[in-house]
Amino acid sequence: MLLETILILDFGSQYTQLIARKIRELNVYCEIHPYTFIQNSEFRIQNYKGIILSGSPFSVRQKKSPQPDLNLIRGKIPVLGVCYGAQLLAHQSGGEVQPSKHREYGRANLSFVNKDFVLFKNISLNSQVWMSHADTIVSAPENFEIVANTSDVKYAGFHIQGEKTYGIQFHPEVYHTTEGLFLLKNFVVDICKCTQNWTPSSFIDTTINELRHNLGNDKVVMALSGGVDSTVAATLLHRAVGKNLYCIFVDNGLLRKNEFKNVLLSYKHMGLNVKGIDVKKIFYKALKGKKDPELKRKAIGKTFIEIFDREAHKIKNVKWLGQGTIYPDVIESVSVKGPSATIKSHHNVGGLPKKMKLHVVEPLKTLFKDEVRRVGKQLEIEDFILGRHPFPGPGLGIRIIGDITEEKVRILQEVDHIYIEEMKNAGLYNQVWQAGAILTPIRSVGVMGDERTYENVIALRAVTSTDGMTADWCHLPYEFLSKVSNEIINKVKGVNRVVYDISSKPPATIEWE
């Protein structure tokens, strides 16, 4: 099957991934690349059905704003400029872009819509759209036809005569643009002529065939975590190479309570060839005395790689390393902003020792998290695995603030177990994107019976999200939080206080470290 692809050029907008997600919802495949991509030697315009120019935090009037030569694509392929992308089309055509009299941010309504243009087919008059820009197009060449406006924005939508090139100054990808999906469908289906045939089933068939072709009879080794990504990736590899896939599940002493035993059991039922390695003591030794989050992450990563490398070398003639890398990991590693500041070391992208001399195979590197789950469903992986909350690669090591000891791990495992099980019992687990408990370095005075206590403070965390890029804290019922707090304090020795984290991402991160 020929894969029809929409190219999204990223100019640094916070919404770029949302454009991709919306197009994927239409069963159309798309890729995000930095805006410089069209000027690279590897760019082939014939590989794409259409191109979308994203928004940007820059102004086209700034000297160092992103300014690729759009003449490389205009008139040769359908183009849709969104916000900054629309302003860039006008600016490079000799139009005038000026600061808005008032910053246009928030809801607006279309006061004029020309439905004769395919882009605005089925878009209602007064349809609500979302504006987010400090500049506006005040004039454009005569061949720029206005196809939509609002009371404040003259060029809310335009078409360039003689080309399949369009621009809109609002964001169709966000929730608040109520008919945004209609507009994107008009572009990718009616204008770009995509056939909407990119489905979980087609992805599975295509991926397995590619894996069989690329891997042949080679052996593949893969580390499993028990999470969604690595499980789905391993299942695809297993379907492709069968017994030539060797899986390793490492107990680093930082897993959830009973997780090592339970995960190995679940993989056995799936027919995967998995070897379990209990190396808790080695990890605890590597982490001894380390308090800084980055040092802990690096120690965990380094130790894991050393152990995995040792185990991989026990398999003769292994040539490939399987990983559960997903698309947001890939996008972040090639950020439009260049080498960005490291917020946290990532456990999938990069970091492999050269001495392993293995080729990397990443079956899920084009998928978002929700797409991974849909593929897993199609593969008939059990719901209790697909529905698992994301769990950080360094495990409980970054949920224990400060240095790590076996006793601290024991305390947090017990707390986490109570929290997650009570969440499942209350029917809340599937409403939450990710939940976990944090063992803080704070101790507080308490009273148990007639005795004074001076013990640990636990913070509970629960967030809602779609892909982990942004997240809101969950408004869990007070009754639930009260019950969980009582259960933890009464049953876990070493804890006398429980607090609930109500921070969103940004500015906070989901994990504390």
Side-chain angles (χ1 to χ4, degrees):
M1 181 187 71
L2 182 64
L3 192 60
E4 299 174 336
T5 305
I6 297 293
L7 170 63
I8 301 170
L9 292 182
D10 181 21
F11 290 86
S13 169
Q14 60 179 321
Y15 298 137
T16 302
Q17 285 199 38
L18 287 180
I19 301 175
R21 295 175 64 81
K22 287 293 184 182
I23 292 173
R24 299 278 185 95
E25 282 181 32
L26 296 168
N27 294 330
V28 174
Y29 180 69
C30 60
E31 295 176 349
I32 298 172
H33 288 278
Y35 66 88
T36 53
F37 180 63
I38 58 171
Q39 295 171 313
N40 290 350
S41 58
E42 64 216 58
F43 172 65
R44 299 286 183 274
I45 198 167
Q46 63 269 24
N47 292 344
Y48 303 96
K49 300 282 283 185
I51 297 177
I52 295 178
L53 314 176
S54 84
S56 176
F58 291 96
S59 164
V60 296
R61 297 175 296 101
Q62 289 177 266
K63 286 184 178 180
K64 294 187 178 180
S65 62
Q67 294 276 347
D69 182 5
L70 298 182
N71 288 323
L72 295 170
I73 56 175
R74 277 184 50 183
K76 303 168 186 175
I77 189 173
V79 175
L80 174 63
V82 175
C83 197
Y84 179 91
Q87 293 167 7
L88 186 62
L89 285 165
H91 178 70
Q92 290 194 357
S93 300
E96 187 178 1
V97 178
Q98 290 293 336
S100 305
K101 292 180 181 178
H102 306 285
R103 177 170 166 76
E104 290 155 351
Y105 183 86
R107 294 175 179 84
N109 297 92
L110 298 178
S111 54
F112 165 73
V113 176
N114 188 337
K115 296 182 182 180
D116 291 338
F117 289 87
V118 178
L119 187 67
F120 281 83
K121 184 181 72 173
N122 297 323
I123 304 299
S124 311
L125 188 64
N126 294 318
S127 181
Q128 179 179 286
V129 297
W130 184 262
M131 298 287 184
S132 180
H133 55 264
D135 288 350
T136 194
I137 302 168
V138 296
S139 68
E142 289 184 1
N143 63 336
F144 276 56
E145 302 174 278
I146 297 175
V147 296
N149 59 35
T150 70
S151 58
D152 296 318
V153 181
K154 180 180 179 181
Y155 290 92
F158 62 79
H159 168 250
I160 301 179
Q161 293 175 348
E163 306 176 17
K164 292 182 179 179
T165 302
Y166 298 82
I168 51 177
Q169 284 204 82
F170 56 89
H171 288 271
E173 69 273 23
V174 303
Y175 171 80
H176 299 295
T177 298
T178 52
E179 295 178 325
L181 193 60
F182 291 159
L183 187 144
L184 290 172
K185 183 179 180 182
N186 292 340
F187 180 70
V188 301
V189 177
D190 294 329
I191 295 173
C192 299
K193 305 300 181 185
C194 293
T195 52
Q196 296 180 277
N197 59 1
W198 194 68
T199 62
S201 179
S202 69
F203 172 84
I204 291 168
D205 292 342
T206 301
T207 301
I208 290 175
N209 286 334
E210 287 178 355
L211 289 171
R212 284 173 178 161
H213 178 263
N214 294 333
L215 303 179
N217 292 319
D218 292 348
K219 292 179 180 179
V220 183
V221 64
M222 182 170 183
L224 293 181
S225 68
V228 178
D229 300 338
S230 69
T231 302
V232 174
T235 303
L236 286 168
L237 284 164
H238 180 66
R239 296 270 181 103
V241 301
K243 66 181 187 325
N244 280 338
L245 174 65
Y246 295 79
C247 299
I248 298 171
F249 182 44
V250 175
D251 184 357
N252 58 9
L254 304 168
L255 303 174
R256 285 176 161 152
K257 183 179 180 180
N258 300 326
E259 187 166 21
F260 186 61
K261 177 183 69 177
N262 294 339
V263 168
L264 283 176
L265 190 61
S266 66
Y267 283 143
K268 184 178 180 181
H269 293 323
M270 294 169 64
L272 292 176
N273 174 23
V274 185
K275 180 181 180 181
I277 311 293
D278 183 350
V279 284
K280 293 192 286 284
K281 299 293 184 182
I282 298 175
F283 276 87
Y284 291 150
K285 183 178 179 180
L287 286 164
K288 188 174 181 179
K290 290 182 173 61
K291 297 181 179 181
D292 181 85
E294 265 308 282
L295 291 179
K296 289 196 294 183
R297 283 176 176 268
K298 287 176 179 177
I300 293 167
K302 181 175 182 290
T303 306
F304 174 83
I305 287 172
E306 288 172 353
I307 290 167
F308 184 76
D309 183 41
R310 182 190 73 194
E311 294 299 322
H313 275 91
K314 293 179 182 178
I315 306 165
K316 291 184 179 180
N317 301 318
V318 64
K319 293 184 179 179
W320 295 86
L321 173 69
Q323 286 195 316
T325 310
I326 63 174
Y327 200 38
D329 305 332
V330 176
I331 295 169
E332 288 184 341
S333 69
V334 290
S335 168
V336 67
K337 298 170 186 175
S340 56
T342 301
I343 297 172
K344 297 174 182 176
S345 296
H346 195 272
H347 61 281
N348 261 353
V349 180
L352 296 174
K354 292 180 181 179
K355 66 178 181 179
M356 286 185 75
K357 296 179 181 178
L358 297 177
H359 302 294
V360 176
V361 56
E362 300 166 309
L364 307 178
K365 67 180 179 181
T366 62
L367 299 186
F368 289 101
K369 177 72 81 172
D370 54 333
E371 294 170 331
V372 174
R373 287 195 169 102
R374 288 200 292 270
V375 167
K377 189 82 172 174
Q378 189 75 27
L379 290 168
E380 298 182 342
I381 295 173
E382 294 184 79
D383 287 342
F384 81 90
I385 292 178
L386 295 180
R388 283 192 65 183
H389 291 174
F391 190 63
L396 300 180
I398 57 168
R399 292 183 178 175
I400 296 171
I401 311 302
D403 65 322
I404 295 169
T405 65
E406 287 191 64
E407 175 61 11
K408 288 181 180 180
V409 172
R410 179 201 67 78
I411 291 172
L412 191 53
Q413 283 179 332
E414 294 297 332
V415 169
D416 177 83
H417 183 71
I418 291 170
Y419 184 30
I420 298 301
E421 289 304 306
E422 288 296 333
M423 191 172 281
K424 290 176 179 177
N425 293 339
L428 296 170
Y429 186 81
N430 292 331
Q431 299 174 32
V432 174
W433 162 265
Q434 187 170 346
I438 296 92
L439 179 61
T440 76
I442 302 167
R443 302 181 77 189
S444 72
V445 173
V447 177
M448 288 188 180
D450 294 325
E451 295 183 0
R452 173 189 182 275
T453 62
Y454 189 57
E455 294 180 334
N456 297 285
V457 177
I458 288 289
L460 301 181
R461 181 80 158 132
V463 298
T464 57
S465 182
T466 52
D467 54 19
M469 305 302 291
T470 60
D472 292 322
W473 63 276
C474 286
H475 295 238
L476 296 177
Y478 292 146
E479 295 81 5
F480 168 78
L481 291 172
S482 174
K483 182 180 180 183
V484 168
S485 174
N486 286 337
E487 288 281 308
I488 290 170
I489 293 171
N490 288 335
K491 293 182 178 179
V492 183
K493 185 179 179 181
V495 177
N496 69 356
R497 191 178 298 269
V498 175
V499 298
Y500 187 58
D501 182 350
I502 58 169
S503 310
S504 293
K505 176 187 179 182
T509 53
I510 295 176
E511 299 293 341
W512 278 35
E513 290 194 340

